[in-house]
Amino acid sequence: PAVEFAYLTGWRIDSEVLPLEWRQVDFKAGEVRLDAETTKNRDGRVFPLTDDLRRLLEAQRADADALKERGTIVPWVFWRMVAKGRRGPKAPRPIKAFTVAWRRACRAAGCPGRIRHDLRRTAVRNMVRRGVSERVAMQLAGHKTRSVFDRYNIVSAGDLKTAGQQLSGLTGTIWGQSAGLSPGSESEPEKIAQ
């Protein structure tokens, strides 16, 4: 779940995602908040609950609520059950890191060498490709400067191909004919042919 959260939000895993607590999630207002002191640039941040993000957080909340019914309160959004001592009773603990699990998952997926920070780049690209304005994407991901944002908003060969497809049809199918001319225009093909 922490990886999916980072994929959706672009938030920094170690300092913003893993330490997240339930007090920062507001289902009613439909947002997740980061306190100013927890972010790299010391600015607080708000991310709206998308459908995918809400589903993920509701599932995490249901797991935490199940433990609460048994008398254990879990303040963290991302946690795991850890045994006290060898074969001792398990209790929830915040996830501090998952480096080994990440490496194994990347190898199993056939993409060894990926880093967790790639999720931040992917989230920014996804936001921009889905039509979120670059300024808003910067705010959501926590980029203060344009130069830093541009390092994450990478243009790929696929982006260039898509741009070419979007630009197709700017002119008409007949050489020199503009597709955007209005009827009655002096440049209308019938008048040119006369």
Side-chain angles (χ1 to χ4, degrees), residues 13-41:
I13 291 176
D14 293 332
S15 61
E16 298 172 349
V17 176
L18 294 180
L20 198 64
E21 296 184 359
W22 286 116
R23 65 179 179 76
Q24 296 168 277
V25 177
D26 188 339
F27 287 108
K28 191 172 184 177
E31 61 189 27
V32 183
R33 291 179 301 277
L34 281 179
D35 302 326
E37 67 274 2
T38 64
T39 66
K40 184 178 177 180
N41 60 25

Side-chain angles (χ1 to χ4, degrees), residues 112-194:
R114 297 277 187 224
I115 58 173
R116 295 175 306 159
H117 206 68
D118 288 339
L119 295 169
R120 193 157 160 74
R121 267 183 215 95
T122 301
V124 167
R125 284 180 45 84
N126 287 343
M127 288 178 206
V128 173
R129 296 325 170 265
R130 295 295 299 259
V132 174
S133 76
E134 291 184 351
R135 184 71 192 117
V136 172
M138 285 175 67
Q139 182 70 32
L140 290 171
H143 292 121
K144 253 187 163 172
T145 65
R146 180 67 193 205
S147 61
V148 171
F149 176 78
D150 285 343
R151 282 187 263 164
Y152 288 84
N153 187 24
I154 299 166
V155 176
S156 70
D159 295 331
L160 298 174
K161 186 175 183 177
T162 299
Q165 291 168 343
Q166 290 170 331
L167 292 171
S168 290
L170 277 178
T171 58
T173 55
I174 300 172
W175 184 81
Q177 177 185 351
S178 177
L181 294 176
S182 59
S185 168
E186 299 250 313
S187 302
E188 197 171 337
E190 301 88 43
K191 291 189 179 181
I192 294 173
Q194 292 175 352

Side-chain angles (χ1 to χ4, degrees), residues 36-56:
E37 67 274 2
T38 64
T39 66
K40 184 178 177 180
N41 60 25
R42 299 291 180 224
D43 285 342
R45 198 170 330 134
V46 175
F47 201 99
L49 290 183
T50 64
D51 293 340
D52 292 331
L53 198 53
R54 181 178 287 279
R55 267 191 297 277
L56 179 146

